[in-house]
Amino acid sequence: MNLFELTRALVDIESTTNHEKNVGDYLFAHLNALAARFDGRIERIAAEPQRDNIFARWGEPVVTLSTHMDTVPPFFASREDGEFIWGRGSCDAKGIIAAMIAAAEKLLAAGKRSLGLLFVVGEERNSAGARAAAATPRGSRFLINGEPTENRLALGSKGALRYEITTRGKLAHSAYPELGYSAIHTLLDILNDIRGITLPADALLGRSTLNIGTMEGGRAPNVVADLAKAEIMFRTVGDPAKIRKAVTAAAAGRAEAVEVFNTPAMQLAKFDGLPTTVVAFTTDIPSFEGTWGQPFLIGPGSIHFAHTAEERIPKKELSEAVDIYARMAAQLLATGGGGA
């Protein structure tokens, strides 16, 4: 199966977060064959019930190539034209999985060993797979993490701080709103205050941002709402203490604001011969906590198409990524560093 066929086969397996089992089983079988050809080993690393990371190694791993198996919803299957492979996960990150497997096969055919491939669950929600892998390291000294960076090495990535905000009201007939109070109205007031928070900036990473991602609540148009909820996410560029304090102040006495996820902003190493960029998204790298080695962040495809109805990956970048991953791994194996 060639690079493009493998990408499409992976895209065509629905694996939205919490539903990675089928793609994990597929990768286990596919990598089992590669392990058999080149005297390797493959294992499952449990993250949560029915959710396993897939890890293959050839010798004791010095360099590990890693990305995630899960995707955001909704699922839609692959298609292909002369320039792109389309479909959910094509660039984020199933095309990257295929490129990493192809790079490993290229290195193994050239006699290289001390390699690992680690594909994890849960990156799109809470990095459950990376956190499980961090608790069970395998000795790797370098981690090449794949996300869509248009094949440029990311020198930094923003962090993430996510809250669930819940407000409670009192049910009443909407013709007599004075007999109750609306959880939705309260939530809107709180979110308006949160939108007014002055967000910090960083010279490398730029300004922190806020997204109000989901809102729900109420019973019917003619009922004063007794419950409302919102999920919000900040993309952070440094210490989130001031943001936390501001959210707490906005919610005080009016709502329950629960912090459900936090991962820090990162500044990352250079690597000789690779163009560079800075990205505003968050990755699994902080959740690995350095336990799989010094991280590098690079991958084919544009983040601007990830999570969209137009998700796609250029075939040219996909092919180039195979050579980039193979060259990076070979240099790290030979010299023990990226040289920059």
Side-chain angles (χ1 to χ4, degrees), residues 8-30:
R8 290 196 62 180
L10 292 169
V11 170
D12 286 339
I13 302 171
E14 191 274 329
S15 63
T16 52
T17 307
N18 295 317
H19 302 92
E20 301 98 337
K21 185 179 185 303
N22 287 343
V23 76
D25 289 346
Y26 181 93
L27 283 168
F28 189 90
H30 187 86

Side-chain angles (χ1 to χ4, degrees), residues 26 38 43 46 74 157 234 275 312 328:
Y26 181 93
F38 293 102
E43 62 179 304
S157 64
F234 296 91
R312 60 190 183 268
M328 289 179 72

Side-chain angles (χ1 to χ4, degrees), residues 224-241:
V224 174
D226 63 327
L227 184 68
K229 296 181 180 181
E231 292 180 295
I232 67 172
M233 179 181 280
F234 296 91
R235 299 289 179 171
T236 59
V237 298
D239 185 349

